[in-house]
Every structure is written in structure tokens, then in C-alpha cells.
Amino acid sequence: MNREHTRVIGIGDRVIGGGNPVLIQSMCNTKTHDIEATVSQINALAKAGCDIIRVAVPDMESANALKEIKKQITIPLVADIHFDYRLAIASIEAGADKIRINPGNIGSVDRVRAVVEKAKEYNVPIRVGVNSGSLEKDLIEKYGGVTAQGIVDSALDKVRMIEELGYDNLVISIKSSDVLMCIKAHELISKQTDYPLHVGITESGTLVSGTIKSSVGLGIILYEGIGDTIRVSLTGDPLEEVKAARLILKSLGLRRGGVEVVSCPTCGRTRIDLITLANQVEEMVSKFDHLDVKVAVMGCVVNGPGEAREADIGIAGGVGEGLLIKKGEIIRKVPEDQLLMALQEELMKM
């Protein structure tokens, strides 16, 4: 099912599915019961572009903390529950906008029913999450190992269980650390359900390897029209997850706004510290999220103006100086140590 035609599900004050914008999720790495630290991280993530935040709820202290956390944040809050159905019920009562469960590890049908009844009472969506690492033994035996079809079967079995309990306010998440398996699973499940899909490559790795794996996997899945929310799962600062997710969506034309920085890879003609300058520019432009412009940072004046022609504004380095460029036209020369400031001033005018 193409994202244009998936069901519309409300999560707090946001909606997903039905052709609505693909939303960015992340997950706090704070201890949820530490309200101050958790709120601080959530608000920083929201400022960076996170649309929905998930927190771990491993104990009742964490579940009870959700009520106070909710008061101090501006984006929907998702409670991540494993094993103890009572934590899911407490999280809903504390104000969680969505809960994430794997019905397979919640326990008996009666326990799942108790969670579903509480979700129904509060009209809170349930994200049914299945990872390749938690695949049931019978499905592993059926398909001769962990497979994309097995992951899909597992997820749809859990969905049917909840549907039979009279609830269909659902989001599905099927994840694998195997990029190709994850892609295949999403291709399969999108043909069998119209529930919105939360997409991610689970346990993808550290900043570099995880971003590459997520970009490949999410890029292909999203390009095929699949996926309503995404998370880039990285071993590191959740802020990096949000940055990567935004770039993936912008690269695919699924998100507009904000400044896009393009920079050359450097070569023997480079006469300035382009690497430092490009990083400084990328940090500086984060203040201009209300703009929808492309900024070019080029290492030399030989090809700089031409390479920057498709950008709205750019700079190209020379020997101790650089050029300020607009739409491929040279505006003026600027001393090297003033290039960053000159670029910022032009952005402020825009």
C-alpha cells in the first residue's frame, strides 16, 4: 500500500498516513525516570526537527514519570513497553500518545486484551513492533531461518490478534539489521495491509556505518512509496538520528524547508581549509530553518562559480580570500577569515 493510501492515524496532535508528510522519530537514551534529563533531551530533539519521541518504560517509576514529562514537551510521546502489560496500561493512563508493544512478549491473550481495552478507552494508537531478532521459532522453522516473509507473517499475526480484540488504531513496525531483508519485508507487507508503517533499520550501528545503512535501506523503501514515519537508529547522540533523517527525507524530496549545504570533496587546487569551513557553514545554517535555500561551499575559484550555479548562494575559496556567489554570479571578493560572516549576512537578508 502506497503511503498516499494508508490509513490516517492520530498521534497526539500529529497525523500520519493517508499522504500526510513522513514524520521523523527518535528515541531518548536518558533514564526515563530522570524527568529533567529526559525533558531536556526531548526539547533539544524537537528543536532539531524531531516530530515524535519514544522513551523506554522498563519500570513503574518510568511509567509514572510520563505524566510530568508530557507537561514540559511539545511533541507526541511514545512509550516503549516490553514484557509487562501493566507498564503499558500505566503509560496510557499517564498520558502517552502512543504505545509500542510486541504482543508476543506481553504474555497471554488476556494481558494483551487488558492493554487493548485501555488503549481503546483513551483512543491511544498501538504500534505493533516486530524485529527480526524476536522472530518466533515456528516461523524460523517454517522458512528455514529468519526471512522477510517470516517477519511479515509475525507482524500480521499480531495485528490480527489485536483486531480480533476489537481495535484497529494501529501502526506497524517491522525491522531488521539486514538492509536487504528489511527492504524486502516492507515491500511484502505494503501489499498486504493499509496500516501506516514506521520504518527503520534496527541496530544499524555507529554514526558512519549506521547512517550509511539507514540511508540505503530507508532511501529505497521511501522511494518506493512505502513508509509513514522513520527513525534512523544510531549508536550515539539521538540528535544525529534526527539530522540524518532530515537529510534522507530532503534528498528524496519528501521534506522541504531548511538550508541544504553542498560542498566539494576538495582536491589539489583547494587553497583554504575547506573541511573546517564547510562544517562551520553547516552548523551556522541550522539557525535558518525557515529558509528553503541551497548553499554551496567550494574549495577553489577555478570551478567554484560554475559548480555553485545551481545553488542560491555560495562561497568559493582562493588564496587568502574567496568569492561570494549568488545564482552562479560573482557578487564580491571577501577575505578568507570573513567568508563565513559574509555568507551569514546574505542569509539574513534572504
Side-chain angles (χ1 to χ4, degrees):
M1 183 68 63
N2 186 284
R3 75 174 64 89
E4 299 295 321
H5 306 292
T6 52
R7 300 187 192 192
V8 176
I9 299 292
I11 304 169
D13 61 355
R14 308 295 177 97
V15 290
I16 63 170
N20 282 291
V22 177
L23 297 187
I24 296 170
Q25 295 195 32
S26 186
M27 186 170 183
C28 287
N29 58 11
T30 58
K31 303 298 183 186
T32 305
H33 63 258
D34 186 341
I35 295 172
E36 183 178 355
T38 302
V39 166
S40 177
Q41 186 171 76
I42 292 172
N43 288 332
L45 289 166
K47 186 177 179 181
C50 184
D51 299 303
I52 300 171
I53 189 64
R54 181 160 51 113
V55 295
V57 182
D59 48 47
M60 200 57 72
E61 185 181 7
S62 298
N64 293 333
L66 300 184
K67 186 173 183 180
E68 186 57 39
I69 291 170
K70 276 279 294 180
K71 294 177 183 177
Q72 301 182 48
I73 64 174
T74 59
I75 58 177
L77 182 66
V78 181
D80 190 90
I81 315 295
H82 287 281
F83 307 116
D84 192 338
Y85 76 104
R86 294 168 297 184
L87 296 176
I89 292 171
S91 296
I92 295 171
E93 292 176 339
D97 296 298
K98 182 172 76 171
I99 60 168
R100 186 271 191 186
I101 63 172
N102 179 345
N105 68 31
I106 288 294
S108 66
V109 174
D110 286 340
R111 291 181 175 183
V112 176
R113 180 182 289 109
V115 174
V116 170
E117 290 301 319
K118 184 60 66 173
K120 189 185 301 183
E121 179 186 346
Y122 283 74
N123 194 30
V124 169
I126 297 174
R127 171 180 149 192
V128 179
V130 174
N131 288 350
S132 57
S134 61
L135 199 61
E136 294 86 349
K137 290 182 179 178
D138 61 325
L139 288 171
I140 294 175
E141 292 175 1
K142 178 179 179 180
Y143 292 108
V146 177
T147 65
Q149 187 63 64
I151 296 170
V152 171
D153 287 0
S154 177
L156 294 181
D157 283 346
K158 309 298 187 302
V159 167
R160 278 189 288 271
M161 177 194 300
I162 294 175
E163 286 177 332
E164 288 170 2
L165 294 171
Y167 202 54
D168 63 358
N169 191 2
L170 305 175
V171 178
I172 301 176
S173 172
I174 51 171
K175 294 186 178 182
S176 172
S177 58
D178 184 312
V179 174
L180 296 181
M181 184 184 296
C182 203
I183 293 168
K184 183 62 176 178
H186 283 87
E187 290 171 343
L188 291 170
I189 202 168
S190 67
K191 294 179 175 69
Q192 299 178 57
T193 183
D194 66 351
Y195 286 114
L197 299 175
H198 170 68
V199 183
I201 308 298
T202 192
E203 300 162 354
S204 61
T206 54
L207 180 59
V208 175
S209 62
T211 299
I212 291 171
K213 288 176 68 175
S214 294
S215 298
V216 172
L218 293 178
I220 292 172
I221 293 167
L222 291 168
Y223 184 72
E224 292 182 352
I226 302 167
D228 302 276
T229 67
I230 64 168
R231 179 192 176 192
V232 175
S233 300
L234 300 176
T235 305
D237 189 339
L239 283 170
E240 299 297 337
E241 297 187 351
V242 175
K243 291 177 186 177
R246 288 182 63 182
L247 286 171
I248 290 170
L249 292 177
K250 287 176 71 173
S251 297
L252 292 166
L254 294 173
R255 181 161 294 210
R256 302 292 182 187
V259 179
E260 178 186 358
V261 177
V262 296
S263 56
C264 68
T266 76
C267 70
R269 286 193 299 268
T270 305
R271 305 299 294 270
I272 62 172
D273 184 1
L274 184 68
I275 295 172
T276 298
L277 181 60
N279 282 308
Q280 290 174 335
V281 169
E282 194 163 70
E283 182 177 351
M284 181 268 290
V285 299
S286 64
K287 305 170 187 174
F288 296 91
D289 265 354
H290 56 290
L291 294 179
D292 185 6
V293 299
K294 181 181 286 189
V295 174
V297 184
M298 299 300 164
C300 73
V301 295
V302 175
N303 296 325
E307 292 172 344
R309 194 174 302 280
E310 293 182 4
D312 298 283
I313 189 169
I315 49 179
V319 182
E321 62 182 13
L323 302 177
L324 185 65
I325 304 160
K326 272 190 174 182
K327 298 292 186 181
E329 299 296 326
I330 297 172
I331 303 301
R332 66 178 187 272
K333 287 185 178 181
V334 181
E336 181 180 343
D337 61 359
Q338 296 177 29
L339 277 170
L340 186 66
M341 184 60 68
L343 181 60
Q344 180 171 301
E345 289 172 355
E346 290 298 326
L347 287 171
M348 291 176 70
K349 292 176 185 177
M350 296 169 72

